[in-house]
């Protein structure tokens, strides 16, 4: 065999072995995609429509809260629900361990909160029945926090609904 043919044969064998090693690595290495948590509020029918927007003081209203984890690990969360009309929030948490089966009379700047744990691709879906105790234009905020994060206005995730209460 001429020297050029020997070098080409050795080169082809090296490339074949390298491609098998790369293929084995690609198959055995787990891929972790983007990490995030989905937070949404839905109207009473479970769709992104028919939100309660115009209420009277004490009128019952309902929204659905949905949280889904894409964090690729088990994670503890805190959800705080607060009624505010200002961007700077001096909110205090008035109640922990929210009873989701009861109606909540929401007072301005008094949050209710709930701790829960989700595994990767796990859901946390709850119906919130509420009424508002004061007239005005209010921002109903759902603030989601992860471990080690202080309960402030700067939440990990936030969704809100503007309410006009007469």
């Amino acid at each position: 065999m001429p020297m050029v043919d020997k070098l080409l044969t050795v080169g082809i064998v090296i490339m074949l072995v390298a491609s098998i090693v790369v293929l084995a690595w690609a198959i055995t290495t787990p891929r972790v995609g983007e990490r995030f948590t989905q937070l949404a509020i839905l109207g009473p029918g479970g769709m992104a429509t028919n939100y309660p927007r115009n209420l009277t003081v004490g009128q019952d209203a309902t929204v659905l809260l949905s949280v889904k984890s894409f964090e690729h690990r088990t994670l503890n969360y805190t959800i705080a629900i607060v009624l505010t009309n200002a961007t700077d929030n001096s909110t205090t948490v008035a109640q922990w361990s929210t009873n989701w089966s009861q109606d909540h009379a929401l007072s301005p700047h008094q949050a209710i909160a709930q701790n829960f744990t989700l595994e990767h691709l796990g859901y946390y879906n709850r119906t919130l029945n509420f009424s508002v105790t004061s007239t005005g234009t209010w921002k109903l905020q759902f603030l989601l926090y992860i471990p080690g994060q202080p309960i402030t206005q700067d939440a990990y995730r936030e969704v809100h609904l503007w309410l006009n209460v007469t």
Side-chain angles (χ1 to χ4, degrees), residues 89-107:
N89 187 3
S90 58
T91 300
T92 59
V93 177
Q95 175 186 348
W96 286 90
S97 191
T98 300
N99 183 350
W100 291 101
S101 64
Q102 74 181 25
D103 290 344
H104 297 280
L106 299 178
S107 298

Side-chain angles (χ1 to χ4, degrees), residues 65-126:
L65 172 69
S66 178
V67 181
K68 184 172 183 183
S69 174
F70 295 92
E71 298 287 347
H72 298 276
R73 61 189 168 140
T74 300
L75 200 57
N76 297 316
Y77 295 94
T78 299
I79 187 80
I81 303 166
V82 63
L83 193 63
T84 183
N85 63 352
T87 53
D88 109 25
N89 187 3
S90 58
T91 300
T92 59
V93 177
Q95 175 186 348
W96 286 90
S97 191
T98 300
N99 183 350
W100 291 101
S101 64
Q102 74 181 25
D103 290 344
H104 297 280
L106 299 178
S107 298
H109 304 288
Q110 294 293 310
I112 56 175
Q114 180 72 48
N115 295 318
F116 60 95
T117 302
L118 287 178
E119 294 181 7
H120 177 61
L121 300 178
Y123 279 101
Y124 183 79
N125 295 318
R126 296 293 183 263

Side-chain angles (χ1 to χ4, degrees), residues 116-159:
F116 60 95
T117 302
L118 287 178
E119 294 181 7
H120 177 61
L121 300 178
Y123 279 101
Y124 183 79
N125 295 318
R126 296 293 183 263
T127 300
L128 176 68
N129 298 307
F130 69 95
S131 60
V132 179
T133 62
S134 300
T135 62
T137 300
W138 299 104
K139 185 178 184 182
L140 179 59
Q141 295 178 286
F142 296 82
L143 305 167
L144 186 68
Y145 300 92
I146 55 176
Q149 186 179 20
I151 307 247
T152 64
Q153 190 67 17
D154 299 321
Y156 177 60
R157 295 282 182 264
E158 184 263 343
V159 293

